[in-house]
Amino acid sequence: MTAGRSMQAGTTGAGEPQAPGNPQAPANPQAPGNPDGPVALVVDAEGLVCPWPVLKARKALNTLAAGAVIEVIATDPASYIDIPAFCDTGGHVLLDQRRDGPRFVYRVRKGAGD
């Protein structure tokens, strides 16, 4: 996958469940309030439950170089624990974690270890 494209439900490949929900547009990487750099991929994990949000985040990060930033959008409340734990154990940096209505939004910078 190339930088700037998002991983949307139904486009991830064989064997992964397809999530219902609204596809998310990529965040504006040039927005003035984005000091963490451009978002390379937006990972839509809406409607998926543990462990799928983490697995989709890992798959997205595996396609990128160290230092790249992804945004993960999930609806599973467990992701509020799972994504930070994934970052800690995987050597990634959790740049931002917030709730936007029913969605949990995370910005993750890929570490050098993967």
Side-chain angles (χ1 to χ4, degrees):
M1 211 163 260
T2 60
R5 289 179 48 191
S6 64
M7 295 182 68
Q8 300 294 337
T11 63
T12 59
E16 289 187 32
Q18 295 183 11
N22 299 324
Q24 296 295 316
N28 180 359
Q30 305 307 321
N34 189 5
D36 302 317
V39 173
L41 290 173
V42 175
V43 178
D44 182 359
E46 288 186 70
L48 300 178
V49 295
C50 180
W52 288 105
V54 167
L55 294 175
K56 288 188 74 157
R58 177 183 295 145
K59 183 176 180 178
L61 288 170
N62 284 341
T63 67
L64 302 171
V69 176
I70 65 168
E71 185 170 87
V72 181
I73 302 169
T75 50
D76 182 9
S79 69
Y80 211 72
I81 295 168
D82 296 341
I83 296 290
F86 163 69
C87 292
D88 287 342
T89 60
H92 308 297
V93 178
L94 182 62
L95 299 170
D96 184 46
Q97 175 177 342
R98 64 185 166 84
R99 187 161 189 174
D100 182 15
R103 296 181 182 100
F104 298 92
V105 181
Y106 310 91
R107 284 184 173 227
V108 177
R109 175 173 287 137
K110 181 176 180 173
D114 276 349

